Amino acid sequence: MASDNINKVLGTLPEDIEKAGVDNLAATSVLQQRASEIRAQRINWQSYLQSQMISQEDFTFISRFDGGNAQDREKIVQENPLQCAKTFYNLLGHISKDQTIQYLLTLVDDFLQENKNRVAIFREFARKRRESVWAHFLNLLNRPDGFIQNMTSRVVAKMACWSPPGELMAGSDLQYYLTWLKDQLRMQGNEYVQSVARCLQMMLRLDDYRHAFVGVDGIATLVSVLSGRVNFQIQYQLTFCLWVLSFNVDVATKLNKFGVIPILADILSDAQKEKVSRIILAVFRNLIEKPEELEVKKENCISMVQCKVLKQLELLEQRKFDDEDIQEDIDYLNEKMNASVQDLSSYDEYVTEVRSGRLEWSPVHRSEKFWRENAQHLNDKNYELLKILIQLLETSKDPLVLSVACFDLGEYVRHYQRGKHVLEQLGGKTMVMALLSHDDPNVRYEALLAVQKLMVHNWEYLGRQLEKPGASTQMGIAVA
């Protein structure tokens, strides 16, 4: 997607969350199906009046408004705009029955959907009352009913996105709402997850909200959910969120620190839907185009190469796409990645591989020349690469990653004079020792070789001990 101007790009997309064609109908289907059922119900407002649960004023408004068609409703709104907000707030605040709250929220959502300028009515009413325009709705996010929570969320998203620039959602209200969305994405088995993602797609179109979302650790949440087993619709929606985020230069610069490229490369390799491939390529393009630092552009290119994106582009070029933007992005990415490969040093390649966390037996690891020339560079940037390797020993579950990390730490010690001391200071020795009893024989073997390089004088003793039961415990005492 070639445009540098995000407003121009996003201007071609629908402003609200329903009007985006067939692809998007599934995105709110559970909520929309329930909303259709709820609209078909009728609330007996008279009984609320008789039991004095609502005032005569609110009854008069809601019974007229609820019973009218779109033209009638517009006329009622024009007659007394603030009465709309007053009655909706009153009813939502004083009625406790779930079924009625569900109906009211659907009514409010339709009220805004018919005319987005009606957001101003709620703002004006809250201003006159010196109240927060958000408080009434944010409280409803705490209700146990899933429909109430998610219809409230839709209303909040529309109000937040359709407010004028000087009156956007901000501060603790914004942080609360974005944290709620983030937590809902992570919730296992959330049947409304597509509606949550749709609200986020709307919110992240505005740069103020992008900054706030990054501030609540939102990027890590998107990557975490995408790395799990989610359907293509969620893959598309959350990648769309990453795409919109990547128009912000600061965000685009640090996006791959969260492992975005490896995760999206995995999804791209399995993607069956054109829209999923398209949005991933658009993110990749932004990760090269948007950062201002040449080093970041280069690192992102190399990361894509290492994640086999060039191979995926070859396969994609063999398919016929309806969207010409896809071919344009494929050409752009091919050009940039091929150029980065031309002047790629083995150390650049190694740095990118370590930062990606996806270690494999690429040629540099086994190269004596590489370690002789570059071992000391693992000390750069306050031991950045060493710390990543040690962290991988602690957190990775992949035997291949653990094996390669052990080997690299051993080579570092072998080729850098103070390597043993540095590794001990950073806690690396302890992590390598712990892997001597790992379930995988390759991990045990590489851990043992690394220990040999750490403590050559104990080599024969360690070799004997490894074959005994409880070997790691005994060795922990022997070499401590």
Side-chain angles (χ1 to χ4, degrees), residues 21 40 44 62 81 174 226 247 258 279 337 346 362 426 444 446:
N44 185 351
I62 197 67
L174 178 59
L226 281 167
F247 278 90
F258 295 88
I279 201 72
M337 275 189 269
S346 58
S362 53
L426 295 174
R444 290 200 302 271
E446 293 299 342

Side-chain angles (χ1 to χ4, degrees), residues 365-468:
H365 298 280
R366 302 288 199 190
S367 166
E368 185 82 14
K369 179 174 180 285
F370 171 80
W371 287 108
R372 207 167 47 243
E373 293 174 356
N374 294 295
Q376 76 278 8
H377 289 309
L378 269 65
N379 302 329
D380 294 351
K381 296 186 179 177
N382 194 25
Y383 306 106
E384 179 198 3
L385 297 185
L386 276 181
K387 288 174 180 176
I388 294 172
L389 289 170
I390 293 166
Q391 185 184 25
L392 288 172
L393 293 186
E394 188 175 3
T395 59
S396 179
K397 301 284 187 282
D398 186 342
L400 176 60
V401 172
L402 294 173
S403 297
V404 178
C406 282
F407 180 84
D408 286 4
L409 291 174
E411 289 298 278
Y412 166 74
V413 169
R414 191 158 74 90
H415 289 86
Y416 177 60
Q417 194 173 3
R418 295 185 61 252
K420 176 181 173 183
H421 174 70
V422 172
L423 209 58
E424 284 182 2
Q425 292 292 105
L426 295 174
K429 171 184 160 185
T430 309
M431 296 311 307
V432 174
M433 299 291 291
L435 294 176
L436 288 167
S437 58
H438 194 274
D439 292 340
D440 187 278
N442 292 320
V443 176
R444 290 200 302 271
Y445 174 73
E446 293 299 342
L448 187 56
L449 286 183
V451 168
Q452 177 198 16
K453 293 163 191 173
L454 270 162
M455 310 166 186
V456 178
H457 59 283
N458 275 347
W459 170 245
E460 290 179 12
Y461 174 80
L462 292 171
R464 289 196 303 273
Q465 291 299 303
L466 189 65
E467 295 170 5
K468 295 183 180 179

